[in-house]
Amino acid sequence: MPPHTVDTHGDTAPPPALHPAGETPFDRATAHLDAPLAVVDLQAFDANAADLVRRSKGKPIRVASKSVRCRALLERVLARDGFTGIMSFTLAESLWLARSGFTDILLAYPSVDRAGFAELTGDAHLAGAVTVMVDDPAQLDLIDAARPAVGAGEEVRVCLELDTSYRLMGGKVRVGARRSPLRTPDRLAALARAVVRRPGFRLVGLMAYEGHVAGVGDDVAGKPVFSRAIRMMQAAARKELAQRRWEAVRAVRAVAPRLEFVNGGGTGSVQHTAAEAAVTEVAAGSGLYVPRLFDNFRSFSGRPAALFAQPVVRRPGPGVVTVLGGGYPASGVAGPDRLPVPYLPAGLRYDPQEGPGEVQTPLLGPAADGLRIGDKVWFRHAKAGELCERFDQLQLIDGERVVGTVPTYRGEGHTFL
């Protein structure tokens, strides 16, 4: 496992002031480095972690690795009080993390990785560290087929997932992601019975991720009516889910009384989910980096911790500069909200005819005239960990110094998705 990063104890440090090009703390810290590059502000990262713990009100936080994608920073946050365990996104990643020394890894998505399941069921250490997600008996069949021999191999730890989507008009309208087919307590209990009756499996957890609450901002700038509608929807969805989740937990515990955890929530709903008595832990990850999609929440305000810089390579004319690359859209429904945003120096915007490009990006605005060839323009990605799929390394900044350089997953040779 990588060594701990430098602990700066910077939970209360102020955010960086907005200065002309070359005068931000990020510019001064990286003056000796060429862009493109990506940084993580450790003071902001730690402050965001502290805020998540405050909002979780004593319930442990499981870190969503897809939103971090850097082993050193996973280790850093797990060393803090209030954080325990990882929520991973592929079986290959889960096994790699377990081999690296991480424990208590919950794979949040079903897998059909037969080679991975053969490895998992053939190694007692891995089987003890990783819990897999199941929402269909066919997934149990696939795991059994991957075992070293029929009925052989290590016991597999299993978690079931509850569908959290909010349904209206008798189910004709759905709000929320299409995830698990297990919506009712009865269906969850039926699959729970199938797991506990089947040799080689142990039911240890239940998960329910309410993305339509945790990942949808309720205070969108310039859209007061839309924001009020989102708040009304989320309040109704939270109430409906809290009742259904409590009933689901009761039904599953009747089958598996020794259930170890009930996981729920995400960065945007930590405080609401943690308040439910049925929930034993909450999940969060994006709240550590605070990408631009998390600017629109009334309940909390984080500090941007992860940024990337592109160099100015052209000055086509007054009020225009061109930076290298920068076309890094995030996943989800394509739209302007999935694009990175120019952050520093303030006052830059995309050319509406070009947007962020594959190899070059024109930027417009008065701030362009203060930029020289070779200067850095700092951007915020729309989502959290996806930024790390673009960079091999993260420069760790404390104030105006780079205090460490750590590899991302990509930098360690892994692109799991």
Side-chain angles (χ1 to χ4, degrees):
M1 185 178 290
H4 286 290
T5 54
V6 177
D7 188 0
T8 60
H9 302 287
D11 291 350
T12 59
L18 303 186
H19 297 290
E23 296 187 12
T24 71
F26 304 115
D27 288 302
R28 290 191 286 272
T30 64
H32 61 296
L33 298 173
D34 289 334
L37 58 83
V39 304
V40 170
D41 179 344
L42 292 179
Q43 294 182 6
F45 183 90
D46 290 342
N48 294 334
D51 186 63
L52 287 169
V53 171
R54 176 189 63 81
R55 291 197 287 132
S56 72
K57 300 184 186 303
K59 290 193 175 173
I61 300 170
R62 186 178 292 273
V63 183
S65 63
K66 75 178 181 66
S67 300
V68 180
R69 302 193 202 202
C70 171
R71 283 200 298 164
L73 291 175
L74 287 172
E75 187 185 21
R76 182 184 184 90
V77 71
L78 287 170
R80 299 179 65 98
D81 290 340
F83 291 85
T84 181
I86 288 176
M87 177 177 284
S88 59
F89 57 97
T90 74
L91 182 56
E93 180 213 12
S94 305
L95 299 175
W96 176 64
L97 290 174
R99 289 193 299 268
S100 301
F102 292 92
T103 59
D104 190 12
I105 301 163
L106 169 62
L107 174 56
Y109 305 87
S111 175
V112 293
D113 180 354
R114 290 174 292 182
F117 282 126
E119 185 177 357
L120 179 72
T121 56
D123 187 306
H125 167 71
L126 297 178
V130 177
T131 299
V132 304
M133 189 63 62
V134 169
D135 60 31
D136 190 307
Q139 294 154 358
L140 301 175
D141 295 339
L142 188 142
I143 296 171
D144 267 340
R147 290 181 183 274
V150 177
E154 300 296 329
E155 184 177 62
V156 176
R157 294 168 53 86
V158 170
C159 177
L160 305 182
E161 182 172 2
L162 171 70
D163 169 50
T164 66
S165 61
Y166 183 46
R167 306 289 179 89
L168 300 168
M169 300 177 63
K172 294 179 181 179
V173 176
R174 174 188 59 84
V175 181
R178 295 185 187 273
R179 290 178 64 106
S180 172
L182 305 175
R183 180 168 180 79
T184 65
D186 288 347
R187 291 197 64 185
L188 272 169
L191 185 53
R193 285 190 291 270
V195 173
V196 300
R197 290 172 182 168
R198 193 158 181 161
F201 295 92
R202 178 155 57 101
L203 181 57
V204 299
L206 177 64
M207 178 183 131
Y209 171 59
E210 55 270 36
H212 49 298
V213 179
V216 178
D218 63 353
D219 190 19
V220 182
K223 296 184 177 181
V225 175
F226 174 79
S227 297
R228 283 196 295 272
I230 291 293
R231 289 195 290 272
M232 291 175 61
M233 176 277 292
Q234 290 179 338
R238 289 197 306 267
K239 182 178 179 180
E240 184 274 336
L241 178 59
Q243 178 64 31
R244 186 157 50 89
R245 179 155 40 200
W246 181 81
E247 293 172 355
V249 171
R250 184 176 62 173
V252 173
R253 286 196 184 278
V255 178
R258 296 183 180 180
L259 207 65
E260 296 175 13
F261 64 86
V262 176
N263 179 280
T267 289
S269 66
V270 163
Q271 68 277 17
H272 302 297
T273 308
E276 294 183 32
V279 173
T280 66
E281 63 176 40
V282 292
S286 295
L288 297 169
Y289 287 171
V290 187
R292 63 166 294 199
L293 283 179
F294 286 83
D295 287 347
N296 302 318
F297 285 82
R298 288 202 313 173
S299 59
F300 73 100
S301 178
R303 287 170 47 181
L307 308 172
F308 69 92
Q310 302 296 110
V312 174
V313 293
R314 285 175 169 165
R315 291 176 47 84
V320 186
V321 292
T322 302
V323 299
L324 183 70
Y328 304 158
S331 60
V333 178
D337 66 333
R338 300 291 145 166
L339 300 179
V341 289
Y343 180 51
L344 297 173
L348 294 173
R349 66 185 186 279
Y350 292 126
D351 183 331
Q353 296 184 50
E354 296 193 47
E358 178 186 9
V359 291
Q360 70 166 35
T361 297
L363 297 170
L364 313 178
D369 291 329
L371 289 166
R372 301 162 298 178
I373 299 294
D375 282 346
K376 297 180 178 77
V377 175
W378 296 90
F379 294 78
R380 295 175 64 200
H381 204 268
K383 298 184 75 172
E386 292 182 23
L387 168 65
C388 294
E389 299 298 333
R390 299 286 183 169
F391 293 91
D392 293 343
Q393 298 178 332
L394 297 173
Q395 306 297 328
L396 305 183
I397 293 180
D398 177 13
E400 297 185 7
R401 297 183 304 125
V402 172
V403 296
T405 301
V406 294
T408 61
Y409 280 13
R410 170 178 164 167
E412 298 200 66
H414 295 288
T415 51
F416 294 109
L417 277 179

